[in-house]
Amino acid sequence: MRRGLLIGIICCLAVGLIFSGCGKKEEPKIKIGFNIPLTGDIPKVGEGSKFAAEMFKADINSAGGLKVGDKSYQLEFIYEDNESKAQSATAAALKLITQDDVLAIIGPQSSKQAVPSGEICNANKTPMISPWSTNPNTTKDRPYVFRGCFLDPFQGPVAANFATEEFGAKKAAVLFDVASDYPKGLAEFFKGAFEKIHGSGSVAAFETFTTKDRDFSAQLTNIIKSDADILFTPQYYDEVPLIVKQARELGWTKPILGSDSWGSAELMNLCGDDCKGSFFSTHYAAAGAKGATKEFIDRYKEKYGYVPDDVGALTWDSIRLLVQAIQNTGGLTGDLQKDRDAIKDQLAQIKDFAGITGNMTFTPDGDPVKCAVIVKISQAGDFEFYKSVCPQ
Amino acid sequence: MGEFFQNLVNALQYGSFLALIALGYSMVYSILMLFNFAHGDIFMVGAYIGFGIATLLVTLASFGALALPGWLILVLTIIISMFLTSFVGMLVERIGYRPLREAPRASAAITGLMIGIILETGNLALLGAKRVSFPALIESATYDIGGVFVTNKKIMIVFVSIILTLALHQFVTKTKWGMAMRAMAFDYLVVPLMGVSINTIARLTFAIGSALAAAAGILYGVAYPVLEPYMGIIVGWKAFVAAILGGRGSILGAALAGFLLGFIEIFVAMIFPSTFRDLIAYSIVLLILVFRPHGFFGEPYSAKLRL
């Protein structure tokens, strides 16, 4: 009985395999892998990435497929869940490369997973684009790895310049979590940039706390005493409300500046009125967007019911970059390794690509030269475009 | 000088939480010789229960069904969640500690850790990892007294915690129940022979300790209005340090040590770079314990009696 069942299952699988094999031969396909966090700590990030990708795929495939050279291809996207873990992300990358035979991989999103996965993709000579990872190590010395966003060594100076130009700040204060890589790195880049403009000692207070601390009163009292003109705090959306509220209660009336980690819709739910009027640097601004960006936001919102976070927009741009590179090869050979190499070469040559998160030109490291956006939190609680800061 | 007074205010607020949580640790430790490591998580549960009640009352008020002013909602929230959280404490005692009363102390200690983890992850499963925002019940008002900024919330927090501490002290020293508790702390083998039920006293101890933790949780939510399931761990450890520092069997000692710990942490951050705050602060605490191993008000014989 049990044996009969087993044989039955095997037969079914075999028949299924034969048919799916037949299906493949009928129309040529381009397979692209996605290494994204569909579960784990930040499922919203994975969801946003997948939604943007699905929207893109539907556009291309319903219009008859992607034209490369003189042939049309249907797009096939394979989504692998990396559970927001480094080990799962490397396993997912390896599976996409060796089992699914994808041409290229989009993701992972966070630096924690993108740095190790970049190593796997580079070693296996498969092009990878991380839409969201801002850590320099992701692409460093890895010719096959690219990214769709700016880097922290750029974001730090952006904030420093903005504080100087917009508020005429001569002295700055920084409050950050010394036990977390992203805020610590960014705080140091900000300090370096600000002191380059105003001389050493111009960062009058460089105060720290450790993850899970909830009381910042002593540090904020020091910051207020330092007589700084601006407070820069590159923290996540669950700490920002506490920092801002406590600063206001201690009598801080000057501007507060943040970084791209502020950019979650959750921020305003937790912070309420206190965060209104603050600024932060990020990848794009949903409110007040124009042209192609607005079109993307409107379509996404209509389809899925909410305004896309920066991750969705960056994923959209990364897929378009990849598709552009595939088209630029002038025709696929069908030899997987040759095609992967050709795509890598084309990606590295992309110049002045008009993305919805800004224009991009790749450096030899695989990092785009692109502008950052300064967002102002409006009185209605929206993240409004304030100005665009581009690398000189 | 203004900076000194500002930090004094900061330390009073921060110390209030440590003091209120330390009371619960101290009582359980004195009476049952137990380290209730789940206490920090009961504090978290209290804050979440308070969040639920406050949200409910605010919603009712916004529909006009029960038009209560904000301060009354806060008072009701504190009272109701103290009441409800005391049952959580009694449940923890009944399930986690009573079956292990005769077991080795280490087993009881890890029970506390496990209950703590169950409460944290249970909350995570129930409400998810999303942070919740404690509703602002009272309009925040800031007073500038000669360059020292004091808010009405801070005054309220310090005031409430001092009142609760004194009330507990009165209860333990002046009432019959309190006397039974003190007797139990003195010797828990002989006192049951006098007709005092150890189960009743243990239940009462956990109920009071948990109610105070709930009050601390709500005040914490008022001061730092972002709640998450792991909020009780670090603050619980620090309050535990305060309870030991205060000395076994001393209510006022635990509260004073809680405030002292707050002062040390805040003033270390004022004088030294804030990166070294806890490093220096807890080195100082260690030094104090070297010279006063039984804490400030602890009685030396009690430890010999039981261990």
mmCIF file of all heavy atoms in Angstrom, chain B residues 265-289:
data_model
loop_
_atom_site.group_PDB
_atom_site.id
_atom_site.type_symbol
_atom_site.label_atom_id
_atom_site.label_comp_id
_atom_site.label_asym_id
_atom_site.label_seq_id
_atom_site.Cartn_x
_atom_site.Cartn_y
_atom_site.Cartn_z
ATOM 1 N N GLU B 265 24.728 56.531 37.728
ATOM 2 C CA GLU B 265 24.743 56.420 36.255
ATOM 3 C C GLU B 265 24.714 57.790 35.582
ATOM 4 O O GLU B 265 25.479 58.061 34.672
ATOM 5 C CB GLU B 265 23.535 55.601 35.772
ATOM 6 C CG GLU B 265 23.798 54.120 35.749
ATOM 7 C CD GLU B 265 22.798 53.393 34.866
ATOM 8 O OE1 GLU B 265 22.430 53.948 33.819
ATOM 9 O OE2 GLU B 265 22.383 52.286 35.241
ATOM 10 N N ILE B 266 23.815 58.640 36.040
ATOM 11 C CA ILE B 266 23.660 59.949 35.392
ATOM 12 C C ILE B 266 24.915 60.804 35.587
ATOM 13 O O ILE B 266 25.416 61.420 34.654
ATOM 14 C CB ILE B 266 22.413 60.670 35.954
ATOM 15 C CG1 ILE B 266 21.142 59.883 35.622
ATOM 16 C CG2 ILE B 266 22.345 62.101 35.445
ATOM 17 C CD1 ILE B 266 20.567 60.077 34.272
ATOM 18 N N PHE B 267 25.446 60.810 36.813
ATOM 19 C CA PHE B 267 26.584 61.701 37.060
ATOM 20 C C PHE B 267 27.875 61.174 36.454
ATOM 21 O O PHE B 267 28.755 61.951 36.087
ATOM 22 C CB PHE B 267 26.725 61.998 38.557
ATOM 23 C CG PHE B 267 25.741 63.040 39.000
ATOM 24 C CD1 PHE B 267 24.532 62.690 39.574
ATOM 25 C CD2 PHE B 267 26.003 64.381 38.774
ATOM 26 C CE1 PHE B 267 23.601 63.649 39.935
ATOM 27 C CE2 PHE B 267 25.083 65.357 39.125
ATOM 28 C CZ PHE B 267 23.879 64.987 39.708
ATOM 29 N N VAL B 268 27.987 59.852 36.319
ATOM 30 C CA VAL B 268 29.146 59.311 35.601
ATOM 31 C C VAL B 268 29.106 59.792 34.154
ATOM 32 O O VAL B 268 30.112 60.216 33.591
ATOM 33 C CB VAL B 268 29.167 57.767 35.677
ATOM 34 C CG1 VAL B 268 30.103 57.194 34.634
ATOM 35 C CG2 VAL B 268 29.606 57.312 37.053
ATOM 36 N N ALA B 269 27.893 59.767 33.551
ATOM 37 C CA ALA B 269 27.766 60.224 32.162
ATOM 38 C C ALA B 269 28.024 61.716 32.052
ATOM 39 O O ALA B 269 28.430 62.208 30.999
ATOM 40 C CB ALA B 269 26.385 59.892 31.611
ATOM 41 N N MET B 270 27.797 62.458 33.140
ATOM 42 C CA MET B 270 28.050 63.897 33.104
ATOM 43 C C MET B 270 29.555 64.175 33.132
ATOM 44 O O MET B 270 30.051 65.032 32.414
ATOM 45 C CB MET B 270 27.371 64.573 34.302
ATOM 46 C CG MET B 270 27.573 66.065 34.370
ATOM 47 S SD MET B 270 26.792 66.753 35.862
ATOM 48 C CE MET B 270 28.217 67.312 36.755
ATOM 49 N N ILE B 271 30.289 63.402 33.959
ATOM 50 C CA ILE B 271 31.704 63.709 34.176
ATOM 51 C C ILE B 271 32.594 63.009 33.147
ATOM 52 O O ILE B 271 33.515 63.604 32.596
ATOM 53 C CB ILE B 271 32.109 63.311 35.610
ATOM 54 C CG1 ILE B 271 31.296 64.136 36.610
ATOM 55 C CG2 ILE B 271 33.592 63.537 35.839
ATOM 56 C CD1 ILE B 271 31.287 63.577 38.007
ATOM 57 N N PHE B 272 32.289 61.722 32.875
ATOM 58 C CA PHE B 272 33.144 60.955 31.969
ATOM 59 C C PHE B 272 32.474 60.848 30.596
ATOM 60 O O PHE B 272 31.286 61.146 30.462
ATOM 61 C CB PHE B 272 33.372 59.550 32.538
ATOM 62 C CG PHE B 272 34.025 59.554 33.898
ATOM 63 C CD1 PHE B 272 33.270 59.408 35.044
ATOM 64 C CD2 PHE B 272 35.402 59.705 34.014
ATOM 65 C CE1 PHE B 272 33.864 59.420 36.287
ATOM 66 C CE2 PHE B 272 35.998 59.712 35.258
ATOM 67 C CZ PHE B 272 35.231 59.568 36.400
ATOM 68 N N PRO B 273 33.212 60.387 29.573
ATOM 69 C CA PRO B 273 32.556 60.145 28.275
ATOM 70 C C PRO B 273 31.439 59.121 28.434
ATOM 71 O O PRO B 273 31.596 58.135 29.158
ATOM 72 C CB PRO B 273 33.683 59.571 27.407
ATOM 73 C CG PRO B 273 34.930 59.997 28.061
ATOM 74 C CD PRO B 273 34.643 60.119 29.516
ATOM 75 N N SER B 274 30.312 59.359 27.755
ATOM 76 C CA SER B 274 29.144 58.513 27.999
ATOM 77 C C SER B 274 29.359 57.071 27.563
ATOM 78 O O SER B 274 28.651 56.173 28.002
ATOM 79 C CB SER B 274 27.914 59.098 27.309
ATOM 80 O OG SER B 274 28.233 59.522 26.017
ATOM 81 N N THR B 275 30.355 56.827 26.706
ATOM 82 C CA THR B 275 30.647 55.461 26.282
ATOM 83 C C THR B 275 31.000 54.581 27.490
ATOM 84 O O THR B 275 30.739 53.397 27.507
ATOM 85 C CB THR B 275 31.822 55.459 25.297
ATOM 86 O OG1 THR B 275 31.575 56.454 24.316
ATOM 87 C CG2 THR B 275 32.000 54.121 24.634
ATOM 88 N N PHE B 276 31.608 55.203 28.494
ATOM 89 C CA PHE B 276 32.055 54.434 29.653
ATOM 90 C C PHE B 276 31.058 54.455 30.801
ATOM 91 O O PHE B 276 31.386 54.086 31.912
ATOM 92 C CB PHE B 276 33.406 54.965 30.152
ATOM 93 C CG PHE B 276 34.458 54.975 29.090
ATOM 94 C CD1 PHE B 276 35.126 56.139 28.762
ATOM 95 C CD2 PHE B 276 34.761 53.809 28.393
ATOM 96 C CE1 PHE B 276 36.085 56.148 27.763
ATOM 97 C CE2 PHE B 276 35.718 53.818 27.393
ATOM 98 C CZ PHE B 276 36.384 54.987 27.083
ATOM 99 N N ARG B 277 29.832 54.931 30.531
ATOM 100 C CA ARG B 277 28.895 55.146 31.628
ATOM 101 C C ARG B 277 28.691 53.919 32.496
ATOM 102 O O ARG B 277 28.998 53.933 33.690
ATOM 103 C CB ARG B 277 27.538 55.614 31.084
ATOM 104 C CG ARG B 277 26.589 55.997 32.193
ATOM 105 C CD ARG B 277 25.222 56.333 31.664
ATOM 106 N NE ARG B 277 24.554 55.125 31.228
ATOM 107 C CZ ARG B 277 23.325 55.105 30.706
ATOM 108 N NH1 ARG B 277 22.667 56.234 30.543
ATOM 109 N NH2 ARG B 277 22.760 53.976 30.335
ATOM 110 N N ASP B 278 28.205 52.837 31.911
ATOM 111 C CA ASP B 278 27.890 51.667 32.718
ATOM 112 C C ASP B 278 29.150 50.990 33.248
ATOM 113 O O ASP B 278 29.149 50.439 34.338
ATOM 114 C CB ASP B 278 27.046 50.676 31.905
ATOM 115 C CG ASP B 278 25.606 51.155 31.780
ATOM 116 O OD1 ASP B 278 25.330 52.286 32.231
ATOM 117 O OD2 ASP B 278 24.771 50.414 31.240
ATOM 118 N N LEU B 279 30.211 51.054 32.469
ATOM 119 C CA LEU B 279 31.485 50.476 32.906
ATOM 120 C C LEU B 279 31.927 51.094 34.221
ATOM 121 O O LEU B 279 32.216 50.400 35.201
ATOM 122 C CB LEU B 279 32.542 50.713 31.822
ATOM 123 C CG LEU B 279 33.939 50.216 32.123
ATOM 124 C CD1 LEU B 279 33.984 48.714 31.994
ATOM 125 C CD2 LEU B 279 34.951 50.842 31.170
ATOM 126 N N ILE B 280 31.936 52.420 34.259
ATOM 127 C CA ILE B 280 32.389 53.101 35.473
ATOM 128 C C ILE B 280 31.332 52.980 36.574
ATOM 129 O O ILE B 280 31.647 52.671 37.727
ATOM 130 C CB ILE B 280 32.702 54.584 35.163
ATOM 131 C CG1 ILE B 280 33.877 54.657 34.191
ATOM 132 C CG2 ILE B 280 33.022 55.345 36.434
ATOM 133 C CD1 ILE B 280 34.177 56.030 33.666
ATOM 134 N N ALA B 281 30.063 53.177 36.204
ATOM 135 C CA ALA B 281 29.000 53.163 37.212
ATOM 136 C C ALA B 281 28.981 51.836 37.966
ATOM 137 O O ALA B 281 28.924 51.814 39.207
ATOM 138 C CB ALA B 281 27.651 53.415 36.550
ATOM 139 N N TYR B 282 29.070 50.732 37.245
ATOM 140 C CA TYR B 282 28.945 49.452 37.934
ATOM 141 C C TYR B 282 30.249 49.010 38.574
ATOM 142 O O TYR B 282 30.240 48.171 39.483
ATOM 143 C CB TYR B 282 28.302 48.415 37.010
ATOM 144 C CG TYR B 282 26.848 48.781 36.852
ATOM 145 C CD1 TYR B 282 26.426 49.648 35.864
ATOM 146 C CD2 TYR B 282 25.919 48.387 37.809
ATOM 147 C CE1 TYR B 282 25.121 50.078 35.788
ATOM 148 C CE2 TYR B 282 24.601 48.802 37.739
ATOM 149 C CZ TYR B 282 24.207 49.645 36.728
ATOM 150 O OH TYR B 282 22.916 50.078 36.676
ATOM 151 N N SER B 283 31.375 49.602 38.155
ATOM 152 C CA SER B 283 32.609 49.385 38.902
ATOM 153 C C SER B 283 32.489 50.023 40.280
ATOM 154 O O SER B 283 32.947 49.476 41.280
ATOM 155 C CB SER B 283 33.803 49.984 38.159
ATOM 156 O OG SER B 283 33.893 49.423 36.880
ATOM 157 N N ILE B 284 31.851 51.196 40.322
ATOM 158 C CA ILE B 284 31.639 51.869 41.607
ATOM 159 C C ILE B 284 30.752 50.996 42.497
ATOM 160 O O ILE B 284 31.037 50.799 43.688
ATOM 161 C CB ILE B 284 30.999 53.261 41.390
ATOM 162 C CG1 ILE B 284 31.975 54.176 40.653
ATOM 163 C CG2 ILE B 284 30.591 53.885 42.716
ATOM 164 C CD1 ILE B 284 31.390 55.510 40.250
ATOM 165 N N VAL B 285 29.691 50.431 41.912
ATOM 166 C CA VAL B 285 28.794 49.573 42.688
ATOM 167 C C VAL B 285 29.544 48.366 43.245
ATOM 168 O O VAL B 285 29.393 47.984 44.408
ATOM 169 C CB VAL B 285 27.608 49.112 41.817
ATOM 170 C CG1 VAL B 285 26.749 48.113 42.568
ATOM 171 C CG2 VAL B 285 26.774 50.309 41.390
ATOM 172 N N LEU B 286 30.393 47.813 42.411
ATOM 173 C CA LEU B 286 31.197 46.654 42.836
ATOM 174 C C LEU B 286 32.060 47.034 44.026
ATOM 175 O O LEU B 286 32.171 46.290 45.008
ATOM 176 C CB LEU B 286 32.066 46.208 41.657
ATOM 177 C CG LEU B 286 32.662 44.818 41.744
ATOM 178 C CD1 LEU B 286 31.551 43.789 41.732
ATOM 179 C CD2 LEU B 286 33.602 44.574 40.572
ATOM 180 N N LEU B 287 32.639 48.217 43.943
ATOM 181 C CA LEU B 287 33.501 48.709 45.015
ATOM 182 C C LEU B 287 32.712 48.873 46.312
ATOM 183 O O LEU B 287 33.187 48.513 47.407
ATOM 184 C CB LEU B 287 34.096 50.052 44.583
ATOM 185 C CG LEU B 287 35.481 50.381 45.120
ATOM 186 C CD1 LEU B 287 36.485 49.352 44.598
ATOM 187 C CD2 LEU B 287 35.887 51.772 44.696
ATOM 188 N N ILE B 288 31.482 49.397 46.181
ATOM 189 C CA ILE B 288 30.650 49.557 47.379
ATOM 190 C C ILE B 288 30.394 48.197 48.021
ATOM 191 O O ILE B 288 30.501 48.037 49.235
ATOM 192 C CB ILE B 288 29.301 50.232 47.016
ATOM 193 C CG1 ILE B 288 29.534 51.654 46.501
ATOM 194 C CG2 ILE B 288 28.379 50.274 48.229
ATOM 195 C CD1 ILE B 288 28.273 52.336 46.003
ATOM 196 N N LEU B 289 30.109 47.204 47.185
ATOM 197 C CA LEU B 289 29.792 45.875 47.731
ATOM 198 C C LEU B 289 31.004 45.233 48.397
ATOM 199 O O LEU B 289 30.858 44.457 49.336
ATOM 200 C CB LEU B 289 29.255 44.965 46.615
ATOM 201 C CG LEU B 289 27.766 45.078 46.333
ATOM 202 C CD1 LEU B 289 27.365 44.095 45.264
ATOM 203 C CD2 LEU B 289 26.941 44.830 47.589
#
